[in-house]
Amino acid sequence: AYVAHSSDMLYRNGYAEFIRPGESRDFFTFIHSAGELDSTGVSVNTDKRRIYVDLLSDTVFTINNQYAGNSIGMKKLAHRLAVRKACHEGWLAEHMFIMGVTPQAKNRVTYFTGAFPSACGKTSTAMIPGQRIIGDDIAYIREDESASPRAINIEQGMFGIIEDINPVDDPLLYKTITTPRELIFSNILVNNGRPYWLGMHEDIPEEGINYSGNWFKGKKDLSGKDIVFANKNARFLLRLNEIENSDPAIEDPDGVPVSGIIYGGRDSDTTVPVCQCFDWNHGVFTGLTLESETTAATLGQAGVRKPNPMANMDFIVIPLREYIQNHIHFGGKLKQQPLVFSVNYFLKEKGEFINSKLDKKIWLMWMEGRVHSEFNAIKTPVGYIPCYEDLKKLFSEIFKKEFSHETFLKLFSVRVDRYLEKYDRMEKFFQIEGPLPYEMDILLRTIMEELNEAKNKTGMDIIPPEMFL
């Protein structure tokens, strides 16, 4: 029932296409069983949980699990098959949101896609107040008859991580999932019919029902560890048209024109908050060198940088070189290439975030303005970064607050040594994953050389933006 209900909310019914006569039909096939269940309806034999992805027949078999990401075939199981299919057919199947950006006092909508590893700001970017969402997870991108890129969301629902969704940082989403509507929650705490999750900014009851059964504060597992009231991977599921800012184009079978692509990583000491790539290939390189910094001891300690090319690494079932080469080839076919940007919302100074979580709206509006050639930029070895006066104006117009030049320097100075360390880490990663396409290898060498030249010329390892003018 869980799989059937979740599938109905997440995807459009395609039975008419399935029985359509004529041309050969092209489908992915999924066979799932929750296996033996206990009295509460939970899979028993989780030690025998298995997922088999058959790339030759485009078929997936899954048993002894009930988590949506592994049991609802159309989710990430289909995405693995689609990545391979897209590479062989010359289009892109990406782990990206699709959103329409609508600046204040301007009668236009500009469509962006964006790829972010988990916990790097993907859903919160797609849900910035005042903007339009088409999807928060998967984008298929193809060129149209005029060789311009168009993106479509194959999903009609949102299956998102619920941790840290709160009324301050995510007002729209918080309002949506705390008001009555058709919703499915998983791995949260339920008390008197109400859900509770990690980081919701509310007092948590001392008892209720969660993934461990009847839960109470201080309950321990078989190894003696405390059972947390909600799981870090707790999820919510709803239909996208339930969200106030859903875009009317969500049902358009032709998709939407893509004017910009955003790659968002997470690090506390390196990448500037927003940066425009020089061209399409530099954009591919930026996605290829995406990293996320652990916030908990998932890899043994916090602060570990984990490479995650295009935020799609877990789903790339072909050699990384082939996947990246397809990106390069796809951009080469386009007459109108989207601008590509990188963002990082997590720079810190003395352990504290330098900027607010809400500032992502400023970076988004700068990117949208760059698409329409409305802002100048400063060229650095890592890309084009904003001019201070433009950001100062945006902060004043949007948030009615001052943006100091001191803060601008903290955020946008190029930390040369940190960038060089990043690219050194990526170079070691690529040695394991296999040789890079020639275009990416040249970019890696060129950017590292230019960073070293800038350091030698200025005698500084942290270079203020104005030094590049």
Side-chain angles (χ1 to χ4, degrees), residues 454-461:
K455 180 179 178 179
N456 292 335
K457 181 179 178 180
T458 61
M460 307 168 73
D461 62 358

Side-chain angles (χ1 to χ4, degrees), residues 79-80 83 94-95 117 287-288 290 306-320 323-324 429-430 432-433:
H79 187 50
R80 288 177 170 89
V83 166
E94 297 304 306
H95 189 200
L288 174 64
L290 208 54
K306 183 179 179 181
N308 195 337
M310 272 69 176
N312 213 15
M313 191 64 186
D314 289 344
F315 315 108
I316 299 174
V317 292
I318 57 177
L320 181 60
Y323 172 74
I324 296 301
F429 169 70
F430 298 139
I432 297 171
E433 288 296 323

Side-chain angles (χ1 to χ4, degrees), residues 278 282 379-383 414 423 446-448 450-452 454 468:
F278 299 125
H282 185 219
K379 187 177 181 181
T380 76
V382 295
V414 176
Y423 294 135
T446 301
I447 293 171
M448 293 180 77
E450 291 184 357
L451 283 167
N452 276 312
F468 294 101

Side-chain angles (χ1 to χ4, degrees), residues 27-79:
F27 296 102
F28 298 151
T29 303
F30 304 92
I31 300 173
H32 166 70
S33 171
E36 182 184 353
L37 305 179
D38 65 16
S39 59
T40 65
V42 175
S43 296
V44 173
N45 301 311
T46 54
D47 61 321
K48 298 179 178 65
R49 181 189 299 128
R50 298 292 185 272
I51 301 167
Y52 297 105
V53 181
D54 183 350
L55 298 176
L56 297 182
S57 66
D58 282 336
T59 302
V60 178
F61 302 88
T62 160
I63 189 169
N64 293 322
N65 76 83
Q66 293 170 296
Y67 166 61
N70 294 332
S71 61
I72 300 171
M74 288 79 78
K75 201 62 188 167
K76 293 300 167 43
L77 301 177
H79 187 50

Side-chain angles (χ1 to χ4, degrees), residues 90 92 147 280-281 284 325-338:
L92 305 181
W280 175 265
N281 279 2
V284 174
Q325 194 66 60
N326 184 49
H327 273 259
I328 296 169
H329 176 69
F330 181 79
K333 295 189 296 183
L334 301 177
K335 289 184 180 178
Q336 186 63 44
Q337 294 177 338

